[in-house]
Amino acid sequence: MTIERKIREHLHEEAETMECPPAISKRIEQSYSHYLQRTRSEITMKKRLIGGIVAAAILIPTAAFAAPVVIDMFTRAPMNSEQVKLDEAGKATLEKLYLAIPETKSFEIMNVSYLGDPNDSTKKVQLSIVLQEKGGTGKKLTLHTNGITDEIQDLTQENWEPKEKPLNTLPDQEIKGKVDQLIDKLYGSIKDYEVAMEQMDNPDQKTFILNYTKKGSEGFEGGGYQVFVQGNSISLSPVAPEPNTGVEGYFSLNGKPDYTADSFLNDEKLFALLKMSPTELKEEIAKGKSVVEIAASKNISKQQVIDVIAKTQAERQLQDGKNKVTISDDLLKPMMKEVEPKVVHIIEHKTETEW
């Protein structure tokens, strides 16, 4: 569950063979940075979603491009419609979908692919399935499923409303009602959740973000759902509960808490390695020390710190915040290697410097 996130990406199948232009990636970074600064004091966004869903929703009307994410380091391999029906994760995904939205049983499976070892389809990190009404037009669904836990990481529903009256032209309450129904169908009742709906600064297309959080919880502390409504599509992703250490804002910016590093440093294994409580770590960081310096004072190497945090982040990414499952080194090690640069950036940072 890294800052750049939850895989849980939001790529359409067309994006699987496209490369995001550097200029687009830069615009995405800048736009989301501005958005996050405005909303940070109101609600702590789910950090692992930044790289996927947000990137697709902010600037690109068709969601054809998304900023690079950790999971893209694996090879994407194709599957056919018959293979996915026999695949364990694919079969479970389709069963969940057909039960939640019965009309999709008549949809054609247009595209299937998986991220993982192209020579061994049992080693999947993520399975992607695209379904559409017969004829190749009309209603469409794109799902991404965790290949290890079989949990649906995100779903994009397109063209469920008439073209002449797309979803984002409806009144706010009607949009919310459509999203409520979709969550109810896929994940169950949302009566214990409250929703914050906001229109995003997107000059290219009217876009809404809806954050569903547990009543009485701070941000996504108790889990929830994050949804983007753009054009005639709904992009939905469940959010696993954030680790609750009772401490937030390890770093500050302009005198205010900066939550950027919290999902990395709120790590029970890190606290055990440093033999410190979350509060003690925050107090030391507040003195202008980096995590690397704090570790060195305890004769703990920088690489030890990197390994502990990277492993936690890789496990969260692959397990998707759900039940603990055994992950092979073939999947875990490359994921850890990929996240290392982000870990280094966090643990070398000092609170008195700009990010």
Side-chain angles (χ1 to χ4, degrees):
M1 185 170 55
T2 66
I3 289 180
E4 278 71 324
R5 159 127 199 240
K6 192 168 188 283
I7 346 187
R8 51 274 197 257
E9 301 139 45
H10 220 205
L11 298 174
H12 291 172
E13 71 275 16
E14 292 88 352
E16 294 165 3
T17 57
M18 295 182 179
E19 182 177 351
C20 183
I24 295 294
S25 290
K26 189 63 178 176
R27 288 177 63 198
I28 288 170
E29 290 178 18
Q30 293 173 343
S31 294
Y32 189 75
S33 176
H34 294 156
Y35 173 73
L36 187 61
Q37 288 296 328
R38 291 192 298 106
T39 60
R40 179 172 287 144
S41 61
E42 299 171 9
I43 184 168
T44 303
M45 298 293 292
K46 183 68 177 177
K47 308 303 186 301
R48 62 181 181 154
L49 296 177
I50 295 175
I53 297 179
V54 174
I58 290 179
L59 289 173
I60 314 303
T62 63
F65 293 107
V69 291
V70 172
I71 203 162
D72 279 335
M73 68 183 196
F74 294 100
T75 301
R76 182 173 288 279
M79 296 178 70
N80 60 45
S81 58
E82 294 305 313
Q83 287 175 318
V84 74
K85 293 175 183 178
L86 298 175
D87 178 81
E88 186 176 338
K91 183 179 179 181
T93 299
L94 291 173
E95 286 177 351
K96 292 175 186 176
L97 178 64
Y98 294 157
L99 181 63
I101 311 176
E103 68 177 291
T104 58
K105 289 182 181 180
S106 64
F107 285 21
E108 291 181 302
I109 298 176
M110 305 297 294
N111 185 280
V112 185
S113 62
Y114 70 91
L115 287 169
D117 186 343
N119 299 314
D120 187 351
S121 62
T122 64
K123 295 179 179 178
K124 292 185 298 296
V125 176
Q126 184 192 75
L127 180 68
S128 301
I129 306 175
V130 180
L131 304 96
Q132 194 163 20
E133 281 186 311
K134 290 183 178 180
T137 59
K139 296 179 180 179
K140 181 179 178 181
L141 280 170
T142 301
L143 304 97
H144 295 94
T145 295
N146 187 306
I148 297 173
T149 65
D150 298 337
E151 294 294 332
I152 296 177
Q153 295 173 316
D154 59 70
L155 174 145
T156 299
Q157 177 181 282
E158 301 174 77
N159 304 326
W160 244 250
E161 301 300 318
K163 288 184 178 179
E164 59 273 14
K165 194 175 182 181
L167 189 65
N168 68 350
T169 64
L170 300 178
D172 290 3
Q173 280 303 113
E174 285 191 41
I175 293 175
K176 179 181 174 298
K178 301 283 186 182
V179 175
D180 288 352
Q181 290 176 14
L182 183 58
I183 297 176
D184 276 339
K185 289 177 180 178
L186 284 169
Y187 299 104
S189 175
I190 57 171
K191 63 182 179 62
D192 294 329
Y193 293 85
E194 54 190 5
V195 58
M197 180 176 179
E198 182 178 351
Q199 185 172 345
M200 300 177 69
D201 294 331
N202 179 7
D204 297 315
Q205 189 173 86
K206 190 176 181 181
T207 303
F208 297 94
I209 179 173
L210 293 85
N211 288 310
Y212 287 77
T213 56
K214 274 286 185 71
K215 293 177 181 178
S217 67
E218 292 292 330
F220 288 109
E221 178 182 283
Y225 305 94
Q226 191 164 67
V227 185
F228 289 88
V229 174
Q230 184 183 53
N232 208 6
S233 71
I234 296 175
S235 300
L236 164 65
S237 187
V239 178
E242 290 281 12
N244 181 15
T245 64
V247 173
E248 61 180 17
Y250 284 94
F251 294 113
S252 60
L253 180 67
N254 298 326
K256 296 181 180 180
D258 188 324
Y259 301 106
T260 310
D262 286 5
S263 66
F264 280 81
L265 297 183
N266 280 334
D267 186 333
E268 294 295 340
K269 293 178 182 177
L270 174 64
F271 303 144
L273 176 68
L274 298 177
K275 293 182 172 60
M276 302 176 73
S277 70
T279 300
E280 289 172 335
L281 178 59
K282 182 176 179 179
E283 290 173 350
E284 289 299 301
I285 288 175
K287 295 176 183 178
K289 300 177 182 178
S290 69
V291 175
V292 171
E293 292 172 338
I294 296 169
S297 70
K298 296 173 174 288
N299 295 318
I300 298 170
S301 71
K302 176 180 175 180
Q303 192 59 50
Q304 284 178 284
V305 176
I306 292 173
D307 290 344
V308 164
I309 299 176
K311 184 176 181 181
T312 296
Q313 293 297 317
E315 288 175 340
R316 288 177 181 171
Q317 185 88 330
L318 293 170
Q319 292 175 339
D320 204 22
K322 302 297 181 181
N323 297 329
K324 300 296 182 182
V325 295
T326 301
I327 301 172
S328 70
D329 287 345
D330 290 342
L331 294 178
L332 191 60
K333 287 182 178 179
M335 181 73 82
M336 289 174 61
K337 194 67 177 177
E338 187 71 12
V339 79
E340 273 194 17
K342 300 177 180 69
V343 176
V344 171
H345 180 65
I346 297 294
I347 65 178
E348 289 184 342
H349 182 68
K350 295 183 180 181
T351 195
E352 72 272 18
T353 61
E354 294 291 332
W355 280 97

